[in-house]
Amino acid sequence: MKKIFFSLVSFCLLITLVLPLSGCSNTCSLPADPPQNRESYIGEIAQLWESTALICGCDETASSGELYTVALSSPKLVGADGKAITQEDLKPGMKVQIFYTGGIQETWPAGFTSVEKIAVMEEGTDLLSMYSDVLKEIYICSEGLNKDINLIALDLTKTINLTDAQKSALSYMAWNEFDLDTVLSTSEQLCKQGLINEDELFFENGILIEISTEETPGKKSFTFSVSKWRSGLGAVFFEDCSAKYRSGHWQYTLGGAAIS
């Protein structure tokens, strides 16, 4: 009888010990974090500032609206080999993938919210920096044409080795450089808007800069022309300009000049 009583007591004690433990295993575990909508965008670094990058679409079909800024101080930065890098390792022209969870900010340029990581995919050739240098040189050439202007119009319709997104990036870079309103436009569009006087052939408040490439520019070299126009009697043209990709950089030489 004692053995039966002792076995019954032991069984009851075992039940009282096991039940709380099994209950704790169900109720004491922490709930899993809710899944976040992680998205990514692949683009080209168009320009770098102290802790910010200007990003544009790098796909051939990228639209003119694909222009973004992204802060570099918070997200994890990763090189093409998967190893951690610093801001100093980033270069214009690099193709990068941006991972974010907070959506797109409706600003201009647009922005990414809650960026977690920026990963370099490939080096790129940074054609935009070369074109930016061309704009700087043509701007200071015949500086008298710039007197009293408040607008720069860029005609890049014949710059066929840039995507629409890259053209938007170049226009934004020019706005930052010259501190003047900058638009993508043609002489015909400016005339329709009344900004160019068709009768007097005069752009009263601005200058028109046009860059035209050859019909089939090469990946390592091509020719182009560039001009700055203010009026029928105030313009400068450079024809047969050459661009070559050497030692990881695009280099250019302006061709013969004609001034009117």
Side-chain angles (χ1 to χ4, degrees):
M1 177 68 68
K2 289 183 179 180
K3 289 183 177 179
I4 296 174
F5 176 78
F6 180 78
S7 298
L8 184 62
V9 171
S10 299
F11 177 77
C12 292
L13 288 173
L14 180 63
I15 292 296
T16 58
L17 289 173
V18 169
L19 284 177
L21 287 174
S22 62
C24 186
S25 66
N26 290 330
T27 59
C28 294
S29 60
L30 295 176
D33 292 334
Q36 293 182 319
N37 294 324
R38 195 185 197 207
E39 300 180 78
S40 70
Y41 179 82
I42 296 175
E44 174 189 344
I45 298 178
Q47 193 171 37
L48 288 164
W49 301 294
E50 287 186 4
S51 59
T52 306
L54 179 67
I55 306 292
C56 67
C58 58
D59 189 89
E60 290 184 1
T61 60
S63 70
S64 59
E66 293 188 50
L67 193 63
Y68 308 88
T69 56
V70 59
L72 303 174
S73 54
S74 299
K76 181 181 179 181
L77 304 179
V78 180
D81 58 359
K83 296 180 180 179
I85 59 174
T86 66
Q87 295 181 34
E88 289 72 23
D89 296 315
L90 297 175
K91 299 290 185 294
M94 282 182 169
K95 185 177 180 180
V96 296
Q97 187 169 14
I98 300 166
F99 297 88
Y100 61 99
T101 59
I104 300 294
Q105 301 167 8
E106 296 182 359
T107 57
W108 183 252
F112 301 99
T113 304
S114 301
V115 177
E116 295 181 342
K117 182 172 73 171
I118 300 175
V120 176
M121 300 180 69
E122 58 185 60
E123 290 294 323
T125 61
D126 191 21
L127 187 56
L128 279 173
S129 289
M130 189 209 77
Y131 276 129
S132 179
D133 290 340
V134 171
L135 291 181
K136 294 173 189 176
E137 187 164 357
I138 193 71
Y139 180 80
I140 62 174
C141 185
S142 298
E143 286 191 279
L145 301 178
N146 305 338
K147 184 179 180 181
D148 297 328
I149 66 170
N150 55 33
L151 177 66
I152 296 176
L154 298 179
D155 184 352
L156 304 177
T157 55
K158 296 180 181 178
T159 316
I160 61 177
N161 54 2
L162 291 181
T163 67
D164 287 344
Q166 289 173 321
K167 292 174 184 179
S168 287
L170 186 59
S171 175
Y172 186 80
M173 292 161 66
W175 172 74
N176 271 329
E177 176 67 27
F178 305 120
D179 197 24
L180 292 168
D181 288 339
T182 307
V183 296
L184 294 170
S185 190
T186 64
S187 58
E188 292 80 7
Q189 292 169 334
L190 294 170
C191 287
K192 287 181 180 179
Q193 295 168 0
L195 296 174
I196 289 181
N197 187 315
E198 289 189 78
D199 296 328
E200 298 181 7
L201 289 178
F202 181 56
F203 194 172
E204 182 178 0
N205 298 319
I207 53 174
L208 173 63
I209 297 177
E210 180 179 0
I211 299 176
S212 300
T213 63
E214 59 183 289
E215 291 185 2
T216 54
K219 293 183 178 180
K220 297 295 183 180
S221 64
F222 62 92
T223 59
F224 66 97
S225 63
V226 58
S227 63
K228 178 171 73 172
W229 188 91
R230 181 77 183 271
S231 70
L233 296 176
V236 57
F237 306 86
F238 289 92
E239 300 288 344
D240 297 322
C241 307
S242 62
K244 292 185 178 182
Y245 188 70
R246 294 174 178 168
S247 304
H249 300 282
W250 278 101
Q251 302 171 13
Y252 73 93
T253 303
L254 294 182
I259 301 175
S260 64

